[in-house]
Amino acid sequence: MKRIVVILTLLASFILAEGQKSEGKLEFVWPIQGLELSSLITSTFGESRKDHFHNGLDISSVLQPVRSMGDGFILYSRYAEDNPFEEERGSGNIVWVAHKNGYVSGYYHLGGTRNELVKNHKPVKAGDAIGISGNTGHSTGGHLHFVLGKDYGKTLLDPLSNLPPVEDTMPPQIANLFIHVGENYTNLNDGDNINVSKAFPLTVSILDGGIKNSQRRGIRDVKYFFNGEVYKKANFESLQFDGSKWKTKDGHSFDDLFFKDRYLVGVLNLKAGENTIKVQTKDFYGHESERNFSINITRISGGN
């Protein structure tokens, strides 16, 4: 994520050349075409990546033409061939395209070598091929990871909110609730009785299947209720760079929303007796799910 900020320094000439305010919304096309995208989207925007947000969208593919999402020009590219003695970076071969109104798009893990459009920094039209999908960089399988930004890259956007819709038939699945004590964690079932000595992190496992259960994707919205009151809510449609951290439009950083690679409900002070936790969530297509958990604290030992 930090490397995206470096790209911003390359945009100074772009801003001067455009002479336009960052206004309006462009019509974008899918960078991979001719495939059944509904079954090939493996990761969505805003998911956990251990210690940072997933900043784009992943489409499983290899050796497929990668197309510019919109009209613009080649802003930047980096391929392994530029420095074959340098350790390959996580993003692998990449191309960035600048669009009107301050929009930019990035294409990661590309295969092959630069084509003529990229090599000569030519203007591109929406749908022009700017590379092929590959498996370069830190990638466990052939796929395209692509990023969409506005305000010259200061804000990252959920591509699914800005592209033609794809089929999604399954609502999110709210699975297990966990309490974490140090490096250990315990699954909490609805109606469980437990003892606690202080506030501990509680996390929940939420997955979105898209059109099949094997798709383990992230969600767009989540809201947590604790003992009947709204405790926290978050929306994953955009990320802004604030100081030294990327944050959602609700102002939440990664550490506010994730813990141990799961969605963080919070570090909760559970009271003696019954405690209720309700989770409401929505996927990127708008399907909603809700689940209630009731946890009974039989004894609170020690202090907070």
Side-chain angles (χ1 to χ4, degrees):
M1 291 286 282
K2 292 181 179 178
R3 283 195 291 270
I4 290 181
V5 181
V6 177
I7 299 295
L8 299 182
T9 61
L10 299 170
L11 289 168
S13 59
F14 171 51
I15 296 172
L16 293 173
E18 284 284 282
Q20 298 180 5
K21 295 181 180 179
S22 178
E23 297 176 351
K25 181 177 178 180
L26 300 183
E27 295 294 327
F28 293 106
V29 301
W30 281 91
I32 297 285
Q33 300 177 10
L35 300 177
E36 293 295 330
L37 296 178
S38 298
S39 61
L40 297 175
I41 297 173
T42 56
S43 296
T44 51
F45 184 80
E47 294 179 6
S48 170
R49 285 299 181 268
K50 301 295 183 181
D51 61 358
H52 64 277
F53 292 110
H54 188 237
N55 62 22
L57 191 69
D58 288 352
I59 299 178
S60 178
S61 62
V62 64
L63 302 181
Q64 293 291 323
V66 172
R67 304 183 183 279
S68 176
M69 295 175 66
D71 297 352
F73 65 88
I74 303 299
L75 174 68
Y76 172 78
S77 66
R78 188 193 67 241
Y79 273 68
E81 65 195 41
D82 298 336
N83 189 345
F85 302 104
E86 180 183 51
E87 183 179 353
E88 192 169 36
R89 302 188 187 186
S91 51
N93 299 334
I94 64 173
V95 171
W96 280 87
V97 177
H99 309 284
K100 290 184 178 179
N101 301 334
Y103 285 90
V104 293
S105 57
Y107 310 80
Y108 293 24
H109 308 301
L110 301 175
T113 60
R114 289 179 179 86
N115 66 17
E116 291 302 310
L117 279 177
V118 176
K119 188 181 298 182
N120 296 313
H121 285 252
K122 294 287 188 180
V124 296
K125 293 291 186 182
D128 281 351
I130 55 173
I132 59 172
S133 56
N135 191 28
T136 59
H138 296 169
S139 170
T140 57
H143 76 285
L144 171 68
H145 170 95
F146 66 99
V147 178
L148 177 62
K150 69 174 184 177
D151 301 329
Y152 307 103
K154 296 176 183 177
T155 298
L156 300 182
L157 302 174
D158 162 32
L160 283 177
S161 297
N162 295 272
L163 287 166
V166 293
E167 183 183 15
D168 185 328
T169 58
M170 301 181 64
Q173 301 172 49
I174 304 170
N176 300 317
L177 181 70
F178 300 91
I179 186 168
H180 296 256
V181 181
E183 294 301 314
N184 300 314
Y185 61 89
T186 301
N187 180 25
L188 296 177
N189 297 305
D190 186 33
D192 272 356
N193 298 302
I194 63 171
N195 300 327
V196 294
S197 59
K198 60 179 183 180
F200 292 107
L202 271 72
T203 64
V204 64
S205 176
I206 309 174
L207 298 170
D208 178 49
I211 62 170
K212 54 185 181 180
N213 284 324
S214 60
Q215 290 176 287
R216 305 171 65 84
R217 311 187 312 199
I219 53 173
R220 173 175 291 167
D221 293 275
V222 66
K223 183 185 291 186
Y224 304 108
F225 296 79
F226 179 44
N227 291 333
E229 301 289 335
V230 175
Y231 181 78
K232 181 171 59 179
K233 60 182 179 179
N235 174 274
F236 295 92
E237 282 192 297
S238 64
L239 296 169
Q240 295 82 37
F241 195 70
D242 182 6
S244 61
K245 294 182 178 180
W246 289 95
K247 295 183 179 180
T248 65
K249 66 180 183 181
D250 313 281
H252 296 301
S253 68
F254 177 85
D255 292 334
D256 296 328
L257 298 176
F258 294 100
F259 183 76
K260 301 297 184 182
D261 221 25
R262 297 190 181 96
Y263 291 94
L264 175 65
V265 178
V267 181
L268 302 182
N269 281 300
L270 300 172
K271 62 183 178 67
E274 184 185 33
N275 294 263
T276 60
I277 296 170
K278 179 165 69 175
V279 182
Q280 293 179 340
T281 186
K282 185 185 298 184
D283 66 14
F284 291 84
Y285 198 80
H287 300 303
E288 300 180 7
S289 294
E290 177 178 305
R291 185 169 179 182
N292 293 281
F293 299 89
S294 177
I295 308 300
N296 188 52
I297 305 303
T298 57
R299 177 172 60 88
I300 298 180
S301 58
N304 292 330

